[in-house]
Amino acid sequence: MKRASILFAALIALVELAAFGASFVNNMAEHPHAAVPLGILWLMFRYFTIWTNTLVGLAFGWMAWRKRALAKPFLAALVLWILIVGVVYHLLLAGDAPLHGLDYVSNLLYHTVAPILVPVWWLAFAPKGGLTSHHAVIWLAWPLVYLVYAVIRGLETGFYPYFFLNLDRLGWGGLGLWCVKFLVAFWIGGLVIVTLGRGLNRLGISR
């Protein structure tokens, strides 16, 4: 990895660390009776946003520390997953009520800053050769695992982190339809990234 790539990766890792810290402290304030820190972490990891941003932070922190890029398909998958986090939030989840304090900071970093920085890093620095349409299918594993986890957890606790996973309101048919929609969106997004990666690789941009 070149120096600019390493510094950019370190910046992304720091953004994710700041977002996680802000979210953790905000959850402590909102849930003072939760056991610290495990209780707070249990509350935070209800959300796909936390799952994905934590994975991104760990991956970019590792690359900045080791000064070595991770596997090409995994880097492209990170771009897909974090982009979906940002797009879904801004299209479906961002409410009209203004956010304040650390809640605003964590939401901004998680849903806007990281979904911009990660694709920019990938476009500028990531190796992109060898991506195929099969990767777009493999990349569905991450959201699929989360969907199963969220539904099982919801059945156990009665709390569903997103309206489109609320089994009590949607029923199994409605829930299944939403899950199919999201997996199709991930698949199409993956195909777009594969196509883009192939095109950039042919142009000799970050092989």
Side-chain angles (χ1 to χ4, degrees), residues 80 84 133-140 143 180-194:
L80 170 65
I84 294 291
S133 58
H134 295 293
H135 290 119
V137 177
I138 295 171
W139 297 339
L140 297 179
V180 169
K181 287 179 181 178
F182 274 97
L183 290 175
V184 169
F186 273 99
W187 176 63
I188 293 174
L191 291 177
V192 171
I193 289 175
V194 167

Side-chain angles (χ1 to χ4, degrees), residues 151-205:
V151 172
I152 293 175
R153 181 167 173 166
L155 289 170
E156 291 293 324
T157 65
F159 176 85
Y160 296 94
Y162 304 108
F163 75 86
F164 46 79
L165 293 180
N166 192 325
L167 180 60
D168 295 337
R169 292 186 179 180
L170 298 172
W172 284 107
L175 174 64
L177 182 59
W178 270 106
C179 289
V180 169
K181 287 179 181 178
F182 274 97
L183 290 175
V184 169
F186 273 99
W187 176 63
I188 293 174
L191 291 177
V192 171
I193 289 175
V194 167
T195 302
L196 179 60
R198 285 176 172 177
L200 293 173
N201 188 57
R202 290 192 191 99
L203 295 174
I205 299 176

